[in-house]
Amino acid sequence: MKLRLRYPATPGNAADHAELAVKVAREEYDTPLDYSPESLESLDTEVESLREEGLDGEQVAEVLFVFGCYLGEVMVRHLQGTWVPTARSPLRDLSPWPMVVTLADGSAWDTIGKVYKRLELGDSEFLPAFFQWAAQGRAGGPRR
């Protein structure tokens, strides 16, 4: 999949991608995103609306990517996470995405992949639950 992103897909640009998600949510969906864990309910609703429209990951690739960065940025801000290159993370052999969030407990979380899975698989991939797994330190829980 070739993404046409405004910024390079690097850990240093993840916050910029997240800010694009805030802009897209406000302008396209009239949904405010404020980087709070509670805002992940709204993010999840927006991904579900794309799903209900019958769109797939290829059709909305850039939106899903920035939404994944928003999910990751919420984790960075509220769980003291860090964006790192996937190649330097425990998910190096599992995630096709260029960056993931790591937490102090050593766990790594593929937030971009999670948003794509949410579109593909539906409610079983509920985004607020993903955040809660990370917040509870369940490194053995679902990371992708």
Side-chain angles (χ1 to χ4, degrees):
M1 171 183 325
K2 177 125 172 96
L3 295 175
R4 288 170 288 163
L5 300 171
R6 183 173 293 179
Y7 309 107
T10 64
N13 291 321
D16 294 325
H17 288 294
E19 190 58 36
L20 289 175
V22 171
K23 183 177 179 180
V24 166
R26 182 180 62 246
E27 293 176 1
E28 300 294 323
Y29 306 108
D30 198 29
T31 300
L33 296 178
D34 62 3
Y35 295 98
S36 67
E38 295 78 21
S39 71
L40 296 177
E41 292 270 352
S42 296
L43 185 71
D44 191 83
T45 298
E46 296 311 327
V47 177
E48 179 60 22
S49 72
L50 296 171
R51 179 179 161 76
E52 289 172 357
E53 289 177 35
L55 298 170
D56 65 30
E58 291 282 334
Q59 294 169 300
V60 289
E62 290 81 8
V63 170
L64 295 176
F65 186 91
V66 299
F67 281 0
C69 288
Y70 178 84
L71 171 58
E73 194 61 20
V74 172
M75 293 174 75
V76 165
R77 293 178 184 202
H78 292 274
L79 304 178
Q80 290 72 51
T82 304
W83 285 102
V84 299
T86 304
R88 288 193 243 145
S89 81
L91 297 178
R92 67 185 149 273
D93 296 326
L94 301 172
S95 175
W97 300 105
M99 55 199 181
V100 296
V101 173
T102 59
L103 300 181
D105 66 2
S107 63
W109 300 82
D110 183 358
T111 61
I112 298 166
K114 183 63 171 184
V115 171
Y116 276 84
K117 279 188 164 188
R118 173 63 178 93
L119 180 74
E120 178 185 335
L121 301 176
D123 289 342
S124 67
E125 303 299 317
F126 189 54
L127 301 177
F130 183 76
F131 177 87
Q132 285 305 315
W133 274 88
Q136 294 168 5
R138 293 190 177 168
R143 291 177 263 184
R144 293 194 62 209

